[in-house]
Every structure is written in structure tokens, then in C-alpha cells.
């Protein structure tokens, strides 16, 4: 079995010191591809150079460029121009436009920054629209962040009907919401959400969906796994303990290594055998990024 982390912020400072050891561990666990979205113009170069630096490695790192809705408060048209130029220049190196999206919690809390929720939505939507258009021009898939925003994201995706669609990252929601995305060709990112027993709605959705629309992701260093899953394997053989120690140096810091734990939880939710599940998840990655 081979695995791809379809969403990991590997350029994050949380990983910088232990990166060589971490990548070796990933490889040891057959995590052979890591997709690294950018979050703001500040980290475009980091993401691109991280991939270049590891170009010859068996574990492949694939960069994406985009502006995340959490980081666009102080950004304007000039930053979108910068993104556009970077995508032009690196079109053959990147595999998607991301991470982009709309975030309802950010809009709701905008008043703390002296902005009305409506103005904040408009700002977010302007950036989202621009980046969907950019993906369309370059025939790239997109990686979409959502939070309290399914109803706002859907009309944009319907309008753009991107040929290569993309991934709804860290999907949580109902079967109907999932179906809406799948009908537009999107895959859903399955991450740590399914390790929390309180996430029954999402777990039931993931259980019922066609397997060809799912991909695995960690979103590391964000989105830590539930404590139950993190401690579950600690009595196993030494190797397992070593890996757990590396991945949970701080239990709040998620790691790409946890992709395997997410996969293991997924095998308990899905009816398919592990091999079949892993193979199809890899085919889904091929379809989004490499065809
Ligand atoms: Zn992310």
C-alpha cells in the first residue's frame, strides 16, 4: 500500500527542525507523496523551494499556490497580482491553486477588526472568485477550505464548473452537502475529523459516499487527531511507539505521519478491504492532480 497526504503545511515552522527525520518516517510508512498548499504570498517561496529542495527524493513534495481566507484581512489587489504572476511563473511546478475558500467564522468575528461581517464576506468572496478564475485560466484543480460556508461556496463552484474540479479540504458535513460537491467532480478530503466520535454526521457521510470521491489528508500541523486515536496504539511494538512519539511531541501539533492513523480509522468506517481502499484512494489522487 502507498499513501498520499493531499494536504499538509510541511513548510510550517513546526516542522523545520525535524524535517529530514520526519520525511524519513513518512517514507518508512509508505507515505510517498505530500501535497503542500500555500496560505499567503509570504510563504509562496517557501512552499516552492521546499519542493525543489527535495526534487530527487523518493518521497515527492508537490506545491500549490493560493491565498487562504484566514490570511487575507490586510491583503489587496496587489497580492492577487503577485499570486497571478507566481502561478504564471511556476505553472509547471505547482499541482493546484490552494488553499483558497470561504470561512464563516472569520466573517462572523470581523467586528473585532472593525469590519462588518458583510464587508468581510465581500472581501473573502472577491479573493475566492479571483482564484477560481485563475485556476480556470491555467486548467488547474483547486483546494478549497470551508467552515460554516457550504451554502456560500457552492454557487461559486457551480458558476466556474472547473474541468479538473479539486478537493474540498477537511470535509465535514451532511450527505447532501457532500453530494453537491461530488456532482461537480470534487473529491472530499478525509482528515482528523473522522477520529472524533462526536463527528457522527461526517462519519456517516463518509461511510455512504462512493469511494472514488475520497482522498486522505492531515492538514498538519493543524487539526490534531482525537486523543483516543493518538493513545490507542501506544502499547504496540517499539517502532510504533517511536513514530507516535515523533508525531505527538506536542499532542496539539499534527504530523503527516498521522495519515496512517486516519487511514486506519477509515478502514473501520468503510466496507472495503484495506488494500482495495488504499489503492482506490491513490487512484483518486492521480485523477485530481496527475492527469
Ligand atoms: Zn490547510
Amino acid at each position: 500500500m502507498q499513501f498520499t497526504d493531499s494536504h499538509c503545511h510541511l513548510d510550517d515552522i513546526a516542522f523545520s527542525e525535524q524535517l529530514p527525520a520526519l520525511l524519513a518516517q513518512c517514507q518508512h510508512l509508505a507515505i510517498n507523496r505530500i501535497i503542500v498548499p500555500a496560505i499567503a504570498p509570504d510563504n509562496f517561496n517557501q512552499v516552492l523551494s521546499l519542493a525543489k529542495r527535495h526534487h530527487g527524493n523518493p518521497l515527492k513534495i508537490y506545491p500549490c499556490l493560493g491565498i487562504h481566507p484566514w490570511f487575507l484581512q490586510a491583503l489587496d489587489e496587489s497580492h492577487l497580482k503577485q499570486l497571478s504572476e507566481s502561478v504564471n511563473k511556476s505553472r509547471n511546478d505547482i499541482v493546484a491553486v490552494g488553499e483558497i475558500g470561504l470561512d464563516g467564522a472569520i466573517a462572523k468575528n470581523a467586528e473585532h477588526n472593525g469590519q462588518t461581517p458583510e464587508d468581510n464576506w465581500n472581501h473573502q468572496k472577491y479573493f475566492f472568485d479571483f482564484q477560481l478564475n485563475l485556476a480556470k485560466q491555467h486548467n488547474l484543480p483547486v483546494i478549497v477550505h470551508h467552515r460554516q460556508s457550504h451554502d456560500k461556496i457552492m454557487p461559486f463552484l457551480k458558476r466556474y464548473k472547473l474541468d479538473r474540479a479539486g478537493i474540498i479540504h477537511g470535509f465535514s458535513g451532511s450527505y447532501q452537502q457532500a453530494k453537491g460537491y461530488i456532482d461537480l467532480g470534487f473529491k472530499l478530503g478525509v482528515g482528523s475529523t473522522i477520529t472524533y466520535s462526536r463527528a457522527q454526521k461526517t462519519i456517516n457521510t463518509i461511510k455512504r459516499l462512493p469511494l472514488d470521491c475520497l482522498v486522505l489528508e492531515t492538514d498538519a500541523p493543524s487539526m490534531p487527531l482525537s486523543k483516543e486515536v493518538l493513545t490507542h496504539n501506544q502499547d504496540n511494538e517499539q517502532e510504533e511507539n517511536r513514530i507516535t512519539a515523533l508525531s505527538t511531541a506536542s499532542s496539539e501539533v499534527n504530523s503527516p505521519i498521522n495519515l496512517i492513523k486516519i487511514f486506519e480509522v477509515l478502514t473501520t468506517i468503510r466496507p472495503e478491504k484495506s488494500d482495495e481502499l488504499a489503492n482506490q484512494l491513490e487512484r483518486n489522487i492521480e485523477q485530481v492532480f496527475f492527469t
Side-chain angles (χ1 to χ4, degrees), residues 7 9 99 169 219:
H7 195 115
H9 299 282
E99 154 169 18
H169 139 64
D219 200 16

Side-chain angles (χ1 to χ4, degrees), residues 156-176:
F156 281 91
L157 301 185
K158 278 189 177 150
R159 178 144 30 97
Y160 277 97
K161 286 199 182 65
L162 297 176
D163 283 344
R164 298 181 60 198
I167 294 176
I168 306 302
H169 139 64
F171 176 79
S172 67
S174 69
Y175 182 80
Q176 277 317 317

Side-chain angles (χ1 to χ4, degrees), residues 135-192:
K136 187 142 190 131
Q137 281 167 25
H138 288 275
N139 193 27
L140 282 163
V142 290
I143 297 178
V144 180
H145 165 99
H146 74 82
R147 186 168 54 159
Q148 300 166 28
S149 57
H150 288 308
D151 59 327
K152 295 222 165 30
I153 286 174
M154 192 56 82
F156 281 91
L157 301 185
K158 278 189 177 150
R159 178 144 30 97
Y160 277 97
K161 286 199 182 65
L162 297 176
D163 283 344
R164 298 181 60 198
I167 294 176
I168 306 302
H169 139 64
F171 176 79
S172 67
S174 69
Y175 182 80
Q176 277 317 317
Q177 285 161 337
K179 219 21 202 98
Y181 293 120
I182 294 164
D183 289 347
L184 291 168
F186 279 81
K187 313 275 187 220
L188 308 179
V190 178
S192 65

Side-chain angles (χ1 to χ4, degrees), residues 7-9 37-39 68 70 99 143 145 169 217-220 222-223:
H7 195 115
C8 175
H9 299 282
I39 52 171
H68 189 297
W70 289 1
E99 154 169 18
I143 297 178
H145 165 99
H169 139 64
E217 62 163 64
T218 61
D219 200 16
S222 304
M223 301 287 285

Side-chain angles (χ1 to χ4, degrees), residues 102 107 115-128 156:
L102 297 175
Q115 202 181 25
T116 67
E118 201 196 344
D119 284 348
N120 186 279
W121 272 126
N122 288 338
H123 191 56
Q124 288 196 44
K125 285 177 178 175
Y126 186 74
F127 273 69
F128 190 43
F156 281 91

Side-chain angles (χ1 to χ4, degrees), residues 35-61:
I35 313 288
V36 184
I39 52 171
D42 277 358
N43 86 322
F44 289 173
N45 280 338
Q46 260 161 263
V47 167
L48 292 168
S49 67
L50 181 74
K52 279 211 179 84
R53 255 199 333 274
H54 296 90
H55 184 67
N57 289 20
L59 189 165
K60 299 291 178 209
I61 295 169

